[in-house]
Amino acid sequence: MNDTTIDAAVHVGLRGVTRVFGTDPKTRVEALGPIDLDLRKGEFFAVVGPSGCGKSTLFDIVAGLSPATEGRAVFEGHELNGRAVPEGIGVVFQEDASFAWLNVADNVAFGLRRAGLGEAEITRRVDDTLTFMGLRDFAAAYPSQLSGGMRQRVCIARTLVQRPRLILLDEPFGALDQQTRLIMGEELLKLWRETGATVLLITHALDEAAMLADRVGVMSARPGRIIDVVETPWGKDRDSRVVSDPRFGEITAHLWTRLRDESMAALSHKAA
Amino acid sequence: MSSARNNLFVILSMFGVWQITYWAIGDLALRPPLDTIRNAWSLIGSEGFMAHLNETLQAFTFALAIAVTVGVALGFCLGMNRLAGEVGEPLLVSFYSLPKITLYPIVLLIFGIGMPSKVAFGAIHGIMPITIFTLGALRNLPPILGRTSKVLRLTRWQSVWTILFPAARPEIFTGLRLGFSLTLIGTLLGEMFASQRGIGFLLMQAIGLHDTDRIMALTFLIVGFAITASLMLLAINRHLRHGAA
Amino acid sequence: MKPATALRLGLITLIVLILEILSRSGAISRFVAPPPSEIVVDLGRLLLSGRVQPAIGQTLGKITIACALAIAVGTLVGVVVQHFRAVADTLSPFFTAYYAVPIYAFYPMMIAIFGIGEAPQIVIGFMLAVVAVVVNTISALDRIPRVFRKTAAVYGMSTLEAARRIYLPHAGPYLATGVKLAVSYSFIGVIGAEFIMSRIGIGHEIVFAYNNFENQVMYPLILFVLLAAGTVNWVFYAWEKRLLSRRSRS
């Protein structure tokens, strides 16, 4: 893994990526890494880790939102330098990023209008995406009239309508209740199957990662490194019913074993 | 303390801007900072000034006491009752934004020239912001506090006194800071138009005589007082917020 | 009509009615204040006579200029100050103290700088209003969530484009609050300045009437100012409420 060449079949490749905040030796914080990671084209990869381990920092680097301090990050052969988000990457945040001043349809059309597509093409693609996300009946509604889960759906639709080849989600269901999370998780699986996109999901919920992902990367306490990668045995057609599979319990148990010490380290780190 | 250093820096830059403006405009309508401080100092020492200052402070204290008491009480009345709040708030907001100076002839006709007029003028300037902030503070309180006081079986008064007021205190205090400033300007305006005594009267007299030395010295003293008080109140406010957090 | 609105109107009517009765019965002497109904009639007569129209036009013109200047300059200064967090934090106590400054004391200075015309009154109105706009712009910009800045980066927007497409629409309702305050402070500033020293304008007319014991002119003019300021404020208040109503998030 330590050689710096990256295979063409690899969608996102990270080599020795670190992130350090500050330059003063006394106050500088090593937030991340070094991390080596390959995301295969079309796979669903989840990252779990204790709070404050640098999950979001990793996310920002892969999204092209902030640069790595050392190492290389590559998406489809383009260097991710933190200066611009490359075409083909779609991003969904944990916070509600829906635009309160636009209705649902205009929210979803936002990126397409900017790109200067024709109105007919925009209408067609927005309609398709709204239908796909179950938002058709709410096209004219404003975000303030919707529940948290529906608003997050609007944000996902706004990302999806641009047809990204890599979808990054940073705790997208973090603010939702458990039942809504499960439903949204199933929708995410369906979306992944039908678009064929590569998905990188950052989450703190072990069961969510175990249920949704092909592979789960476990991160250590700060500075976050990938200490384990666990493959799940579910097929592509999985849904939330895998939680009753005995292997599901084994996987989450395994994840928790790897995470327990790291979480305790993170907790006492916070208290200090 | 870095905030003290920042404040000092801002104050020094204000003196700098003042001096530069003086160089730019000249002697016609402005005096340089050092001259003004000297003038202010000799004004404070001059005969009769203390009596005027005393008068103003008295009027201001009365006005502030009225503004705070009435403002907070009114804010609580409107904040505790949803309908009362809905009825009252637009009225308050529009009264707050009226040019209250137009009301001075009426105030004068009712209270006559002297202390009561100044106090009334100061109070009507200060009440509204305090009420509006108190109302807002109560409305922004998490509903869980009301439910908690029910669970604790508190009476309405106990709930106000032991839970709602302490919880809303930091934001109410922000209203008090603004109310302080506005009561001060109200009192001074009252003195400018409706009095033969006080700092505001001295200022109006100086404006009438085009006595730039005196205008600058008085304005300097008033601004100095307002800034000092505002900084102190802000320090208390920060302390309250930390206590409440 | 909503019950609150009806109650509010009822309350106002009741107060006016009480004043009318007190005044008619002599409990409030005619020397202090005429009954409200007479004030209204006098206002109608005054407006029909055409005597005060130039003053009204002058005053409203000055207010408009002061307000527009305050909004333009205040927004610009607010954007710059907010950009430097430390500066904004340091200045905030001074903004509060600013309201205690008797701006009118600078009037003689304004005359020396800008001459005797209308400019000094406009500057006074501007000086009162501009700080409110600055303070509001800062707090409006402070409310832009971090996730919007990230979203703008995801779309690869320049700061200017992000401001136009995301930040401004988001901050709109909060900026409206600043506009509303600018309107009322320029009213207060301009009319106050006219009160102190001016040969023209509504403020001057009121003082003139007061000095000549002309209650039948003074009260209608005061009523006019209150109605004009009240109406304008109410329009902006309603506008702000409407913008904000889309924002409440459950």
Side-chain angles (χ1 to χ4, degrees), chain A residues 40-44 185-186 188-199 211-214 232-240 242:
Chain A
R40 300 173 202 135
K41 202 163 233 152
E43 83 168 321
F44 195 133
E186 287 198 7
L188 185 56
L189 281 174
K190 180 177 135 220
L191 171 165
W192 164 67
R193 273 193 298 270
E194 297 192 12
T195 58
T198 310
V199 172
M211 162 183 140
L212 298 176
D214 294 319
T232 59
W234 334 119
K236 225 176 156 127
D237 294 327
R238 59 182 174 267
D239 59 34
S240 64
V242 299

Side-chain angles (χ1 to χ4, degrees), chain B residues 96-185:
Chain B
Y96 176 47
S97 52
L98 287 179
K100 283 174 276 296
I101 200 165
T102 41
L103 297 176
Y104 102 81
I106 306 180
V107 173
L108 265 184
L109 286 171
I110 298 172
F111 293 103
I113 285 187
M115 187 62 105
S117 267
K118 303 189 222 184
V119 174
F121 219 61
I124 57 176
H125 274 80
I127 287 174
M128 291 308 140
I130 297 176
T131 309
I132 291 169
F133 269 83
T134 308
L135 180 60
L138 289 174
R139 187 174 298 158
N140 288 340
L141 286 182
I144 186 73
L145 289 180
R147 287 162 61 199
T148 306
S149 47
K150 279 202 186 106
V151 170
L152 293 169
R153 292 198 204 86
L154 301 180
T155 65
R156 207 171 167 76
W157 273 110
Q158 286 170 326
S159 142
V160 167
W161 198 241
T162 57
I163 295 190
L164 298 184
F165 182 69
R169 198 167 48 190
E171 209 177 319
I172 293 177
F173 203 84
T174 308
L176 292 190
R177 275 199 299 138
L178 191 58
F180 183 94
S181 289
L182 289 170
T183 308
L184 181 59
I185 186 72

Side-chain angles (χ1 to χ4, degrees), chain A residues 60 65 84-85 89 91 93 95-101 107 110-111 113-114 142-144 146-147 151 158-159 162 170, chain C residues 145-158 161 164-171 245-250:
Chain A
D60 283 359
L65 284 167
V85 181
I89 294 186
V91 181
F93 299 104
E95 300 95 326
D96 174 13
S98 62
F99 298 145
W101 58 95
N107 256 289
F110 185 84
R113 292 240 162 83
R114 263 196 86 242
Y142 283 88
S144 64
L146 302 177
S147 69
R151 284 205 287 266
R158 197 170 69 194
T159 303
Q162 311 241 64
D170 186 5
Chain C
R146 234 163 46 101
V147 69
F148 280 176
R149 299 192 187 278
K150 280 191 175 183
T151 305
V154 169
Y155 284 112
M157 292 179 175
S158 64
E161 196 193 350
R164 192 165 60 81
R165 286 186 195 268
I166 300 182
Y167 305 156
L168 260 183
H170 174 78
S245 67
R246 281 214 199 119
R247 291 306 156 85
S248 55
R249 305 209 148 177
S250 42

Side-chain angles (χ1 to χ4, degrees), chain A residues 18-23 28-32 57 68-70:
Chain A
T18 67
R19 175 81 169 148
V20 179
F21 292 106
T23 47
R28 63 185 238 139
V29 176
E30 292 181 21
L32 189 71
T57 309
T69 307
E70 295 165 310

Side-chain angles (χ1 to χ4, degrees), chain B residues 104 108 114 117-118 121-122 185-195 200:
Chain B
Y104 102 81
L108 265 184
S117 267
K118 303 189 222 184
F121 219 61
I185 186 72
T187 311
L188 289 169
L189 285 175
E191 287 188 336
M192 285 168 81
F193 297 113
S195 179

